[in-house]
Amino acid sequence: MRALDLEYMWDLVPVLVGYIPLTLFMALVGMAFALVLASVMAVERVFRVPVVDLFVRLFISFFRGTPLLVQLFLFYYGLPQVLSFLTNINGVTATIMGLTLHFSAYMAESIRAAILGVDRSQWEAAQAVGMTQLQMMRQIILPQAARVAAPTLVNYFIDMIKGTSLAFTLGVTEMMGAAQKEAAGSFLYFEAFLVVAAIYWILVEVLAYVQRRLETHLNKAHAR
C-alpha cells in the first residue's frame, strides 16, 4: 500500500481552486433562472390554469423523473440535432440550461407547498381590500412563502453546486474536469479526486453555515 502524495495534493489545491468561480457562476446563474421559473410554475400550480396546468405537471414530472446527466446529454448532444439554432451551444450554456430546468421542477413544488402553507386569513384579507390575484401574490403571499421556502431553496442551491460537477461530461473544464485531467496526467487518481472532494465539501459546509444563519434570522424576524 503506497502512501499519499501529500506534496502533489498540496500543489493541486490552487489549480482546482482556480475553477471555483466557474463552478459558482454556473450554479448562481442556474439558480437565478430556476427560481424565476419555479415561482411562475408554483403560482400556476396553485391557481391551476386550464391546459397550462397539464403542461406544467408534465414538465415537473419529466424533470423530476429523469437523471440530471441524461438531461444534460439531451441539451448538449440531442437538441442540436433537432433544433439547428442550438448547433453552436457550448458546454457551459448546456449545463446552465440543465441545472435551471432540472432544479426548477423540484423548487416549484417546494414553493407551491410554501404558498399553500400561508394562512388562509391572509388570502381572505387581501381579497377583502380589493387586491387582484397578481397583487395578492406579489405583495402578500409570496413574501411570506419565501420565508418558509428559503432554507429548502438553499439546499437546492447546494445540490446545484454539486451538480455542476457533471459539466465535465460536456467538455467543460471546471473543478471535476480539471481534477480528471490532472489525474490522467499523473496517474494519482485517488489524490486528485480526494482534493476535489475536499473542496466541494468545504463549499457545501460554508453554504450550510449560511443556511443555518438564514434560518435563525428568519425565525427571529417572524417571532417579532
Side-chain angles (χ1 to χ4, degrees):
M1 179 178 178
R2 68 175 180 84
L4 288 176
D5 191 332
L6 298 179
E7 182 178 357
Y8 170 78
M9 295 174 66
W10 182 252
D11 291 340
L12 187 58
V13 170
V15 175
L16 298 185
V17 165
Y19 291 96
I20 289 179
L22 178 58
T23 293
L24 293 179
F25 170 77
M26 291 189 291
L28 286 168
V29 174
M31 185 68 180
F33 284 124
L35 188 57
V36 173
L37 181 57
S39 298
V40 172
M41 291 193 294
V43 171
E44 190 287 324
R45 291 288 291 127
V46 170
F47 291 108
R48 296 181 181 274
V49 180
V51 182
V52 177
D53 189 57
L54 173 62
F55 286 102
V56 171
R57 285 191 287 113
L58 285 173
F59 176 94
I60 292 174
S61 175
F62 176 80
F63 283 99
R64 284 167 59 102
T66 55
L68 175 57
L69 182 60
V70 173
Q71 295 163 17
L72 292 177
F73 278 25
L74 276 175
F75 294 134
Y76 189 64
Y77 297 110
L79 282 184
Q81 295 183 339
V82 180
L83 304 173
S84 58
F85 66 89
L86 290 176
T87 302
N88 296 321
I89 189 173
N90 59 44
V92 172
T93 302
T95 299
I96 291 173
M97 287 175 57
L99 293 173
T100 296
L101 299 180
H102 181 83
F103 284 97
S104 67
Y106 287 91
M107 291 162 59
E109 290 299 285
S110 295
I111 295 173
R112 181 176 74 93
I115 290 173
L116 294 176
V118 175
D119 194 277
R120 293 304 302 178
S121 62
Q122 300 291 313
W123 299 72
E124 294 166 358
Q127 293 170 343
V129 298
M131 283 187 171
T132 64
Q133 288 186 337
L134 182 61
Q135 290 174 326
M136 176 176 63
M137 293 301 299
R138 188 178 67 249
Q139 299 178 28
I140 305 296
I141 306 302
L142 285 179
Q144 295 183 62
R147 181 187 64 82
V148 177
T152 302
L153 296 180
V154 174
N155 272 336
Y156 285 131
F157 181 61
I158 290 173
D159 288 340
M160 196 175 287
I161 285 180
K162 291 185 287 187
T164 61
S165 63
L166 295 175
F168 89 96
T169 63
L170 307 185
V172 179
T173 305
E174 39 67 69
M175 282 199 296
M176 189 63 187
Q180 175 78 10
K181 289 181 179 180
E182 292 292 332
S186 64
F187 296 103
L188 297 175
Y189 288 96
F190 184 75
E191 285 88 339
F193 293 135
L194 187 59
V195 171
V196 77
I199 293 174
Y200 276 114
W201 186 18
I202 292 170
L203 283 175
V204 168
E205 284 302 307
V206 170
L207 287 170
Y209 172 77
V210 172
Q211 179 191 30
R212 290 192 295 270
R213 293 297 300 271
L214 178 62
E215 286 187 53
T216 300
H217 173 75
L218 291 174
N219 289 334
K220 286 182 178 178
H222 181 65
R224 289 197 297 266

